[in-house]
Amino acid sequence: MSPPGSALPVAEGAGPEAAPLILTLAFDDRSFARFEALRRAHFPPERNLIPAHLTLFHHLPGTQLPVILADLRRTCRDEAPFPLAVTGLRSLGRGVALTLAAPALERLRDRLAALWSDWLIPQDRQAHRPHVTIQNKVEPAAAKTLLADLSAGFAPWTARAEGLLLWRYHGGPWERLARLPFTARRS
């Protein structure tokens, strides 16, 4: 998995519309604040260029923005907000992430992956392991220490998925293009 802020390929000489798109999950405000506080506390500040996030797709073709937005609008119309279990912590080798799980998240991602299968890069074809990175690009010993410290006091909790966020990648901070709320009602 590419660390946030790592270089994604953009065709040389291509305009900004060719820059890759990134799709993330939108959380409820309280959960986002909790994820973001952990990220600000533990992510190297000089590398913390983007907010806490759960990436669904790392690299979608920017040239397909109108199609992708139409697909996302349809998908979000059919999806209701859903709970996400924050189940634990996991080592990233040079960082730490919170692990998340929800059957609705798996179905949502699978649905989008099927729509965009011809566009997916190898990284986005791999099994999805939902997580929120709270530390990355540190020495392995520092990551191991944080993992042990956070694991000692970890208690599972529930976040809420409220929609999708679409971003354009420009080589550093991401440009948010759209926030698309889930608008269906759960029966």
Side-chain angles (χ1 to χ4, degrees):
M1 179 164 285
S2 293
S6 66
L8 298 175
V10 177
E12 193 170 316
E17 70 281 351
L21 304 174
I22 301 165
L23 186 66
T24 65
L25 198 63
F27 301 110
D28 63 284
D29 291 342
R30 189 177 73 204
S31 297
F32 173 75
R34 190 168 178 181
F35 293 137
E36 184 68 5
L38 284 165
R39 187 174 172 95
R40 287 185 186 273
H42 303 294
F43 211 96
E46 68 280 2
R47 295 179 180 270
N48 194 12
L49 304 176
I50 55 179
H53 59 280
L54 187 159
T55 303
L56 296 172
F57 294 95
H58 297 84
H59 188 284
L60 296 169
T63 56
Q64 297 299 321
L65 178 62
V67 174
I68 290 168
L69 276 172
D71 290 343
L72 293 175
R73 287 184 181 111
R74 265 190 314 279
T75 299
C76 289
R77 227 180 5 250
D78 297 341
E79 189 65 54
F82 56 85
L84 292 158
V86 182
T87 58
L89 294 145
R90 128 170 118 103
S91 172
L92 300 176
R94 297 179 65 87
V96 175
L98 290 162
T99 56
L100 291 90
L105 178 60
E106 291 177 36
R107 288 189 301 273
L108 171 67
R109 190 180 183 284
D110 288 350
R111 177 181 175 187
L112 292 171
L115 282 173
W116 303 330
S117 63
D118 291 343
W119 298 334
L120 299 183
I121 63 169
Q123 180 181 19
D124 286 333
R125 291 181 188 278
Q126 295 174 4
H128 188 236
R129 296 175 61 192
H131 67 278
V132 174
T133 302
I134 57 172
Q135 180 192 60
N136 207 0
K137 301 196 180 200
V138 299
E139 291 301 317
K144 187 175 181 180
T145 298
L146 179 62
L147 180 62
D149 290 349
L150 292 177
S151 293
F154 181 81
W157 54 284
T158 302
R160 184 172 164 90
E162 295 196 339
L164 299 171
L165 297 166
L166 186 64
W167 308 82
R168 190 176 300 275
Y169 180 79
H170 293 291
W174 301 351
E175 173 193 6
R176 189 164 94 179
L177 300 178
R179 180 181 178 99
L180 302 123
F182 297 144
T183 56
R185 294 181 189 248
R186 287 269 180 236
S187 48

PDB file of all heavy atoms in Angstrom, residues 142-160:
ATOM      1  N   ALA A 142      10.642   3.055  16.545  1.00  0.00           N
ATOM      2  CA  ALA A 142       9.649   4.019  17.029  1.00  0.00           C
ATOM      3  C   ALA A 142       8.233   3.503  16.751  1.00  0.00           C
ATOM      4  O   ALA A 142       7.335   3.637  17.591  1.00  0.00           O
ATOM      5  CB  ALA A 142       9.860   5.380  16.366  1.00  0.00           C
ATOM      6  N   ALA A 143       8.031   2.900  15.592  1.00  0.00           N
ATOM      7  CA  ALA A 143       6.719   2.345  15.258  1.00  0.00           C
ATOM      8  C   ALA A 143       6.371   1.188  16.197  1.00  0.00           C
ATOM      9  O   ALA A 143       5.238   1.080  16.667  1.00  0.00           O
ATOM     10  CB  ALA A 143       6.701   1.882  13.807  1.00  0.00           C
ATOM     11  N   LYS A 144       7.345   0.362  16.477  1.00  0.00           N
ATOM     12  CA  LYS A 144       7.122  -0.780  17.380  1.00  0.00           C
ATOM     13  C   LYS A 144       6.749  -0.297  18.778  1.00  0.00           C
ATOM     14  O   LYS A 144       5.847  -0.848  19.427  1.00  0.00           O
ATOM     15  CB  LYS A 144       8.375  -1.653  17.429  1.00  0.00           C
ATOM     16  CG  LYS A 144       8.215  -2.931  18.180  1.00  0.00           C
ATOM     17  CD  LYS A 144       9.474  -3.780  18.069  1.00  0.00           C
ATOM     18  CE  LYS A 144       9.279  -5.090  18.821  1.00  0.00           C
ATOM     19  NZ  LYS A 144      10.482  -5.933  18.732  1.00  0.00           N
ATOM     20  N   THR A 145       7.399   0.756  19.247  1.00  0.00           N
ATOM     21  CA  THR A 145       7.107   1.326  20.562  1.00  0.00           C
ATOM     22  C   THR A 145       5.689   1.891  20.596  1.00  0.00           C
ATOM     23  O   THR A 145       4.931   1.652  21.539  1.00  0.00           O
ATOM     24  CB  THR A 145       8.137   2.415  20.931  1.00  0.00           C
ATOM     25  OG1 THR A 145       9.426   1.804  20.995  1.00  0.00           O
ATOM     26  CG2 THR A 145       7.812   3.085  22.253  1.00  0.00           C
ATOM     27  N   LEU A 146       5.304   2.647  19.567  1.00  0.00           N
ATOM     28  CA  LEU A 146       3.954   3.210  19.528  1.00  0.00           C
ATOM     29  C   LEU A 146       2.913   2.100  19.475  1.00  0.00           C
ATOM     30  O   LEU A 146       1.899   2.172  20.184  1.00  0.00           O
ATOM     31  CB  LEU A 146       3.778   4.154  18.339  1.00  0.00           C
ATOM     32  CG  LEU A 146       2.380   4.768  18.222  1.00  0.00           C
ATOM     33  CD1 LEU A 146       2.050   5.636  19.440  1.00  0.00           C
ATOM     34  CD2 LEU A 146       2.240   5.570  16.937  1.00  0.00           C
ATOM     35  N   LEU A 147       3.152   1.081  18.672  1.00  0.00           N
ATOM     36  CA  LEU A 147       2.207  -0.030  18.587  1.00  0.00           C
ATOM     37  C   LEU A 147       2.012  -0.667  19.967  1.00  0.00           C
ATOM     38  O   LEU A 147       0.883  -0.919  20.381  1.00  0.00           O
ATOM     39  CB  LEU A 147       2.694  -1.066  17.580  1.00  0.00           C
ATOM     40  CG  LEU A 147       1.803  -2.288  17.380  1.00  0.00           C
ATOM     41  CD1 LEU A 147       0.437  -1.888  16.841  1.00  0.00           C
ATOM     42  CD2 LEU A 147       2.482  -3.278  16.442  1.00  0.00           C
ATOM     43  N   ALA A 148       3.095  -0.891  20.679  1.00  0.00           N
ATOM     44  CA  ALA A 148       2.993  -1.490  22.017  1.00  0.00           C
ATOM     45  C   ALA A 148       2.258  -0.553  22.977  1.00  0.00           C
ATOM     46  O   ALA A 148       1.382  -0.997  23.737  1.00  0.00           O
ATOM     47  CB  ALA A 148       4.387  -1.816  22.550  1.00  0.00           C
ATOM     48  N   ASP A 149       2.587   0.732  22.944  1.00  0.00           N
ATOM     49  CA  ASP A 149       1.944   1.709  23.843  1.00  0.00           C
ATOM     50  C   ASP A 149       0.441   1.796  23.583  1.00  0.00           C
ATOM     51  O   ASP A 149      -0.362   1.769  24.519  1.00  0.00           O
ATOM     52  CB  ASP A 149       2.562   3.096  23.672  1.00  0.00           C
ATOM     53  CG  ASP A 149       3.984   3.189  24.212  1.00  0.00           C
ATOM     54  OD1 ASP A 149       4.436   2.246  24.903  1.00  0.00           O
ATOM     55  OD2 ASP A 149       4.644   4.204  23.918  1.00  0.00           O
ATOM     56  N   LEU A 150       0.050   1.912  22.311  1.00  0.00           N
ATOM     57  CA  LEU A 150      -1.365   2.037  21.986  1.00  0.00           C
ATOM     58  C   LEU A 150      -2.121   0.726  22.212  1.00  0.00           C
ATOM     59  O   LEU A 150      -3.283   0.744  22.621  1.00  0.00           O
ATOM     60  CB  LEU A 150      -1.543   2.512  20.549  1.00  0.00           C
ATOM     61  CG  LEU A 150      -1.090   3.940  20.252  1.00  0.00           C
ATOM     62  CD1 LEU A 150      -1.269   4.255  18.770  1.00  0.00           C
ATOM     63  CD2 LEU A 150      -1.807   4.953  21.103  1.00  0.00           C
ATOM     64  N   SER A 151      -1.475  -0.387  21.955  1.00  0.00           N
ATOM     65  CA  SER A 151      -2.117  -1.694  22.149  1.00  0.00           C
ATOM     66  C   SER A 151      -2.453  -1.936  23.614  1.00  0.00           C
ATOM     67  O   SER A 151      -3.481  -2.548  23.934  1.00  0.00           O
ATOM     68  CB  SER A 151      -1.215  -2.823  21.639  1.00  0.00           C
ATOM     69  OG  SER A 151      -1.081  -2.738  20.236  1.00  0.00           O
ATOM     70  N   ALA A 152      -1.604  -1.451  24.500  1.00  0.00           N
ATOM     71  CA  ALA A 152      -1.814  -1.676  25.934  1.00  0.00           C
ATOM     72  C   ALA A 152      -3.130  -1.088  26.426  1.00  0.00           C
ATOM     73  O   ALA A 152      -3.776  -1.640  27.306  1.00  0.00           O
ATOM     74  CB  ALA A 152      -0.643  -1.103  26.729  1.00  0.00           C
ATOM     75  N   GLY A 153      -3.553   0.018  25.853  1.00  0.00           N
ATOM     76  CA  GLY A 153      -4.783   0.658  26.303  1.00  0.00           C
ATOM     77  C   GLY A 153      -5.914   0.615  25.286  1.00  0.00           C
ATOM     78  O   GLY A 153      -6.927   1.283  25.449  1.00  0.00           O
ATOM     79  N   PHE A 154      -5.749  -0.190  24.238  1.00  0.00           N
ATOM     80  CA  PHE A 154      -6.745  -0.183  23.163  1.00  0.00           C
ATOM     81  C   PHE A 154      -8.036  -0.886  23.583  1.00  0.00           C
ATOM     82  O   PHE A 154      -8.014  -1.970  24.152  1.00  0.00           O
ATOM     83  CB  PHE A 154      -6.213  -0.853  21.901  1.00  0.00           C
ATOM     84  CG  PHE A 154      -7.212  -0.831  20.775  1.00  0.00           C
ATOM     85  CD1 PHE A 154      -7.373   0.296  19.992  1.00  0.00           C
ATOM     86  CD2 PHE A 154      -8.038  -1.920  20.538  1.00  0.00           C
ATOM     87  CE1 PHE A 154      -8.319   0.341  18.975  1.00  0.00           C
ATOM     88  CE2 PHE A 154      -8.983  -1.889  19.520  1.00  0.00           C
ATOM     89  CZ  PHE A 154      -9.124  -0.757  18.746  1.00  0.00           C
ATOM     90  N   ALA A 155      -9.141  -0.253  23.274  1.00  0.00           N
ATOM     91  CA  ALA A 155     -10.464  -0.872  23.428  1.00  0.00           C
ATOM     92  C   ALA A 155     -11.205  -0.651  22.109  1.00  0.00           C
ATOM     93  O   ALA A 155     -11.240   0.477  21.598  1.00  0.00           O
ATOM     94  CB  ALA A 155     -11.227  -0.233  24.581  1.00  0.00           C
ATOM     95  N   PRO A 156     -11.783  -1.706  21.535  1.00  0.00           N
ATOM     96  CA  PRO A 156     -12.522  -1.525  20.275  1.00  0.00           C
ATOM     97  C   PRO A 156     -13.625  -0.478  20.423  1.00  0.00           C
ATOM     98  O   PRO A 156     -14.176  -0.295  21.509  1.00  0.00           O
ATOM     99  CB  PRO A 156     -13.125  -2.915  20.031  1.00  0.00           C
ATOM    100  CG  PRO A 156     -12.262  -3.853  20.791  1.00  0.00           C
ATOM    101  CD  PRO A 156     -11.801  -3.083  22.005  1.00  0.00           C
ATOM    102  N   TRP A 157     -13.944   0.189  19.345  1.00  0.00           N
ATOM    103  CA  TRP A 157     -15.004   1.185  19.344  1.00  0.00           C
ATOM    104  C   TRP A 157     -15.650   1.212  17.964  1.00  0.00           C
ATOM    105  O   TRP A 157     -15.181   0.552  17.048  1.00  0.00           O
ATOM    106  CB  TRP A 157     -14.488   2.560  19.770  1.00  0.00           C
ATOM    107  CG  TRP A 157     -13.315   3.113  19.026  1.00  0.00           C
ATOM    108  CD1 TRP A 157     -12.009   2.747  19.162  1.00  0.00           C
ATOM    109  CD2 TRP A 157     -13.320   4.147  18.040  1.00  0.00           C
ATOM    110  NE1 TRP A 157     -11.218   3.493  18.323  1.00  0.00           N
ATOM    111  CE2 TRP A 157     -11.984   4.355  17.637  1.00  0.00           C
ATOM    112  CE3 TRP A 157     -14.329   4.923  17.474  1.00  0.00           C
ATOM    113  CZ2 TRP A 157     -11.641   5.299  16.671  1.00  0.00           C
ATOM    114  CZ3 TRP A 157     -13.989   5.872  16.524  1.00  0.00           C
ATOM    115  CH2 TRP A 157     -12.648   6.048  16.143  1.00  0.00           C
ATOM    116  N   THR A 158     -16.714   1.957  17.846  1.00  0.00           N
ATOM    117  CA  THR A 158     -17.462   2.000  16.593  1.00  0.00           C
ATOM    118  C   THR A 158     -17.447   3.406  16.015  1.00  0.00           C
ATOM    119  O   THR A 158     -17.786   4.375  16.689  1.00  0.00           O
ATOM    120  CB  THR A 158     -18.922   1.548  16.810  1.00  0.00           C
ATOM    121  OG1 THR A 158     -18.901   0.225  17.353  1.00  0.00           O
ATOM    122  CG2 THR A 158     -19.691   1.541  15.504  1.00  0.00           C
ATOM    123  N   ALA A 159     -17.036   3.481  14.765  1.00  0.00           N
ATOM    124  CA  ALA A 159     -17.095   4.720  13.987  1.00  0.00           C
ATOM    125  C   ALA A 159     -18.290   4.585  13.045  1.00  0.00           C
ATOM    126  O   ALA A 159     -18.972   3.564  13.034  1.00  0.00           O
ATOM    127  CB  ALA A 159     -15.801   4.909  13.198  1.00  0.00           C
ATOM    128  N   ARG A 160     -18.514   5.622  12.260  1.00  0.00           N
ATOM    129  CA  ARG A 160     -19.646   5.595  11.335  1.00  0.00           C
ATOM    130  C   ARG A 160     -19.186   6.104   9.974  1.00  0.00           C
ATOM    131  O   ARG A 160     -18.564   7.170   9.874  1.00  0.00           O
ATOM    132  CB  ARG A 160     -20.757   6.480  11.898  1.00  0.00           C
ATOM    133  CG  ARG A 160     -22.032   6.491  11.102  1.00  0.00           C
ATOM    134  CD  ARG A 160     -23.082   7.274  11.919  1.00  0.00           C
ATOM    135  NE  ARG A 160     -24.194   7.675  11.152  1.00  0.00           N
ATOM    136  CZ  ARG A 160     -25.304   6.942  10.994  1.00  0.00           C
ATOM    137  NH1 ARG A 160     -25.390   5.776  11.584  1.00  0.00           N
ATOM    138  NH2 ARG A 160     -26.305   7.389  10.273  1.00  0.00           N
TER     139      ARG A 160
END
